[in-house]
Amino acid sequence: MSFVRTTPPRPVDVAAVFPELAPLARAAIRLHPRAGSPSVFESSVGGPLLWPADEPWPHCDGSHPGSGMSRSPVEVRLERRRRARLHRDPHGPQYTPEEEAIKERNDAVSMERLDTGLPWSAESPVPMLPVAQLYLRDIPLLRPPGQADLLQVLWCPYDHEPDYKPSTALFWRSAAAVVDILATPPEPYEADYDGYVPEPCSLAPEQITEYPNSLDLSAEVRQVLGDWSRWQAADVGVDSSYAAYPAEFYDCELADAPGWKVGGWPPWGRTDPYRRFCAVCDAQMVPLLTIASFEWDGGTCGWAPYEDQAPAFAAGQNPAQPTAVEVGSADNLQLYVCPASPEHPHTDLIQ
């Protein structure tokens, strides 16, 4: 990895103030995706995958009704780069010759579909898009099966009922076993939403310690956490404006980190805790990967890495949304796996 990101120390050593939380500490690895040009041999978000040339590319067989207003991944990426260029140079051309050529090729494909009378629905099955590639050497919290040392995550860039989220696919493999690499993976004709087309990002993994969201705590521990006198007695300098709701300070600043991460605790809030159980062995599933719409927001800006606090909006891009991914209503899509066997079917949940 060619760059680093450093999470500031938490403003309070919460396990020292509340020893009841100490046994609940969990390791997590913040991925810190940032715009880059990763290769197939690197961990990435939205980057190319180390995919065997002789292995079929995953497709989604679900229903994909189209609106006729969606854009292809190529068009989505083109428009992002065009806007970034115009942010840097507001007086530049609306389209460069290269951008115009790409736009014309895509317009020609759209017109061909209209001329042939094809319905406004995606081809089926739909090629899936790369979401993340994680090497064990970079993300030691991964628990791959057998000799695997690489996790690859893809999704279909369409909402799927009943939860209206992208359908996801996980693949574990041994990187050394991939000899001939697929050079040009297929892409879907269109993406339901621009936010389902990840921007290529390199990673700066950082291991941290997390504690459960207050919704994950027992009623007894929540009561202790909400006792303002305990915070006062600890003399840890928590702003008195939190006196009426100290649990909010805990959730925003001390519990689980926002953003893309492996492991750790679930970021509840959109829903109450919703336990997931393995369809094969009925074991309670554990968080594998959090796919986040934002690295931080107004309520969790204390988690912004030191290195991202000085730059504001560079090249027209939000530093808190480097992947350009957005799921749900600016929510998280969390993938869960079976702790007994990562080869058992995974599940996911928007929260």
Side-chain angles (χ1 to χ4, degrees), residues 154-222:
L154 302 93
W155 68 18
C156 174
Y158 280 81
D159 273 336
H160 290 74
E161 296 181 355
D163 299 316
Y164 297 96
K165 63 181 185 294
S167 61
T168 53
L170 305 186
F171 295 86
W172 299 94
R173 68 174 75 253
S174 168
V178 182
V179 179
D180 295 321
I181 303 168
L182 181 64
T184 310
E187 281 204 332
Y189 168 72
E190 63 181 17
D192 208 4
Y193 296 107
D194 290 1
Y196 292 167
V197 181
E199 279 293 297
C201 288
S202 299
L203 307 182
E206 176 197 26
Q207 184 162 321
I208 62 168
T209 299
E210 290 191 341
Y211 295 92
N213 183 283
S214 61
L215 295 173
D216 254 326
L217 299 174
S218 68
E220 293 77 15
V221 177
R222 281 202 304 271

Side-chain angles (χ1 to χ4, degrees), residues 262-309:
V262 168
W265 283 93
W268 302 116
R270 175 64 62 182
T271 67
D272 287 340
Y274 182 49
R275 310 303 176 208
R276 315 293 279 171
F277 294 93
C278 178
V280 175
C281 67
D282 206 36
Q284 183 172 324
M285 305 183 87
V286 296
L288 170 66
L289 174 67
T290 300
I291 297 170
S293 294
F294 289 90
E295 288 293 279
W296 63 87
D297 59 22
T300 58
C301 56
W303 291 92
Y306 283 127
E307 296 83 357
D308 291 314
Q309 292 177 5

